[in-house]
């Protein structure tokens, strides 16, 4: 069996002590909380300057305001997917990176978590730390600290250190402080939105309105960028796993989905409106710089504080779940050292990006490539929870020998691995970015069908290869 480190019961899920539990099973007598608690936990990371940046990029793609809003609303519907898979956490009593052994087999899951889990975690750690680095460095430049190398590096290191400290304290601290962070972020970003509104060009229209294939290309690329956010939260079971086993999956899904989707819609639309009043020169300087230029001097530091708070909220959650992914891969690490390793890797990638790209450029490109792995993985997870009806027995997930429920063929699940690989391939050939356009995207005039095609291929192939409903042994 997989070696699980013994932990003391005291302080496992306390806001005042570092959480020592990693992927270990949570006994029923240690479960607590309500499904509605998840709403504010997911709202805090979603009140984000990254959403403002993505919203602004829709205008840069050439969309009209109403078209951009329609794309945002359509993409927000995908938040139901991390909501659906979140209930697998309470059902199994362990991390989502362990639950996916049911989809890929015990050994196959190690490869899945190493590639997919780490890639998703590294991208979001770097992108959100990147936002803090750019904005914090620009604020300090205005105050007279203008070194283009060391200032953003120091900002990154400080924010990363605080973030990893929150991840070390873990679930108990997240549950306690995220509602307050969400409230503070709402106030800060609504104040920012209030100062943005007078600059909005309510009569805005692109100089060359898009139509035909050009319009569908812009709409589809914008949808892919937006969809990458909800599709990336394959870690949602980790945040819900302490809930009592009898908590209704529908309540968990609703709280998770609404907590993520509502701020996502509001603040991405604010980004769209912000962009209507910006010149081409402002876009070239960076959305973060343009935003500080629009605000009164006293509000600039408040906005930076809000961005830092949001960064900590999102990245602490990401580092927390990624630390358990390291354990699920098979490394003999306690959760806290694993969280520190995740932080070091994410910090290094952030420093590289902050010295080599703009926030808008880095965000759009990395979010588009993210769907190659996140879309098919999310589709497979959703199909699995629907077919199994959340029938995940925690102890069985830790049996790593022949005859175990999730051992399958030599430790590998052919349906899961095949669906993931072919779904990823289908996504890649349909993807359209500034550095890579797949053959299907080129044939369609650079219409990006990567998300619907990749997810459909993965879902249909996975369900089809299973052929029959799953039995009690977890086999088709």
């Amino acid at each position: 069996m997989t070696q699980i480190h013994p932990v003391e019961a005291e302080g496992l899920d306390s806001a005042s002590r570092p959480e020592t539990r990693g992927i270990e099973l949570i006994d029923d007598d240690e479960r607590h909380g309500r499904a509605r608690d998840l709403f504010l936990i997911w709202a805090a990371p979603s009140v984000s300057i990254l959403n403002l940046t993505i919203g602004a990029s829709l205008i840069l793609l050439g969309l009209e305001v109403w078209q951009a809003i329609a794309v945002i609303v359509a993409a927000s519907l995908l938040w139901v997917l991390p909501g659906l898979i979140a209930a697998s956490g309470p059902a199994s009593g362990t991390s989502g990176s362990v639950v996916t052994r049911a989809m890929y087999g015990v050994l196959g899951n190690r490869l899945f978590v190493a590639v997919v889990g780490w890639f998703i975690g590294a991208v979001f750690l770097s992108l959100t730390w990147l936002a803090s680095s750019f904005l914090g460095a620009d604020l300090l430049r205005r105050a007279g600290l203008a070194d283009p190398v060391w200032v953003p590096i120091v900002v990154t290191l400080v924010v990363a250190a605080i973030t990893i400290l929150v991840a070390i304290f873990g679930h108990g601290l997240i549950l306690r402080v995220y509602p307050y962070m969400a409230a503070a972020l709402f106030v800060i970003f609504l104040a920012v939105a209030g100062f943005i509104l007078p600059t909005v060009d309510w009569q805005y229209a692109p100089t060359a309105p898009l139509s035909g294939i050009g319009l569908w290309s812009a709409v589809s690329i914008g949808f892919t960028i937006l969809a990458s956010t909800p599709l990336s939260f394959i870690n949602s079971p980790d945040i819900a796993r302490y809930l009592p086993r009898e908590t209704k999956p529908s309540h968990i899904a609703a709280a998770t989905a609404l907590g993520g989707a509502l701020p996502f819609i509001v603040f991405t639309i604010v980004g769209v409106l912000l962009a209507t009043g910006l010149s081409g020169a402002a876009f070239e300087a960076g959305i973060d710089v343009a935003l500080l230029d629009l605000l009164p001097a006293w509000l600039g530091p408040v906005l930076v504080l809000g961005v830092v708070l949001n960064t900590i909220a999102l990245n602490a959650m990401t580092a927390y779940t990624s630390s358990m992914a390291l354990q699920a891969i098979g490394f003999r690490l306690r959760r806290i050292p694993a969280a520190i390793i995740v932080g070091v890797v994410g910090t290094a990638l952030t420093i590289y990006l902050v010295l080599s790209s703009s926030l808008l450029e880095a965000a759009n490109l990395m979010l588009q490539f993210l769907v190659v792995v996140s879309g098919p993985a999310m589709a497979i997870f959703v199909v699995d929870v629907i077919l199994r009806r959340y029938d995940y027995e925690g102890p069985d997930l830790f049996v790593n020998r022949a005859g175990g429920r999730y051992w399958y063929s030599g430790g590998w699940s052919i349906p899961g691995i095949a669906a993931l690989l072919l779904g990823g391939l289908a996504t890649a050939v349909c993807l359209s970015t500034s550095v890579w356009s797949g053959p299907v995207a080129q044939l369609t005039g650079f219409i990006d069908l990567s998300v619907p095609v990749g997810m459909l291929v993965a879902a249909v192939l996975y369900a089809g290869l299973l052929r029959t409903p799953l039995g009690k042994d977890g086999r088709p």
Side-chain angles (χ1 to χ4, degrees), residues 282-296:
F283 274 113
E284 291 178 7
I287 298 298
D288 47 328
V289 175
L291 190 54
L292 284 177
D293 288 337
L294 290 174
L295 300 178

Side-chain angles (χ1 to χ4, degrees), residues 112-164:
F112 167 77
V113 173
V115 176
V116 177
W118 267 81
F119 180 71
I120 292 174
V123 166
F124 266 87
L125 280 172
S126 60
L127 279 181
T128 45
W129 275 336
L130 195 64
S132 288
S133 298
F134 277 125
L135 208 59
D138 188 63
L139 183 66
L140 292 174
R141 177 186 62 79
R142 295 164 191 251
L145 297 174
D147 189 295
V149 175
W150 288 108
V151 170
I153 288 177
V154 170
V155 172
T156 300
L157 292 175
V158 171
V159 176
I162 298 171
T163 302
I164 298 306

Side-chain angles (χ1 to χ4, degrees), residues 29-44:
D29 59 0
E30 297 178 63
R31 308 290 191 93
H32 60 87
R34 301 157 298 182
R36 64 173 177 265
D37 297 334
L38 297 172
F39 177 86
L40 289 176
I41 291 179
W42 284 101

Side-chain angles (χ1 to χ4, degrees), residues 279-371:
S279 63
F283 274 113
E284 291 178 7
I287 298 298
D288 47 328
V289 175
L291 190 54
L292 284 177
D293 288 337
L294 290 174
L295 300 178
W298 66 268
L299 189 54
V302 176
L303 171 62
V304 173
L305 175 62
V307 172
V308 170
L309 279 176
N310 170 257
T311 298
I312 293 170
L314 179 53
N315 280 3
M317 185 184 292
T318 302
Y320 172 69
T321 58
S322 294
S323 66
M324 287 182 281
L326 263 183
Q327 292 183 308
I329 292 171
F331 290 108
R332 296 180 180 275
L333 287 170
R334 300 292 292 268
R335 193 192 66 79
I336 292 175
I340 295 171
I341 292 172
V342 170
V344 170
V345 173
T347 302
L349 180 57
T350 305
I351 291 173
Y352 168 76
L353 288 172
V354 81
L355 298 178
S356 61
S357 61
S358 71
L359 177 59
L360 187 62
E361 176 188 8
N364 287 349
L365 191 58
M366 294 183 74
L367 289 175
Q368 280 181 276
F369 276 112
L370 185 65
V371 300

Side-chain angles (χ1 to χ4, degrees), residues 27 34 59 63 101 114 117 218 314 379 391 430:
D27 294 333
R34 301 157 298 182
I59 295 300
L63 297 180
R101 291 175 180 175
L314 179 53
D391 179 21
C430 295

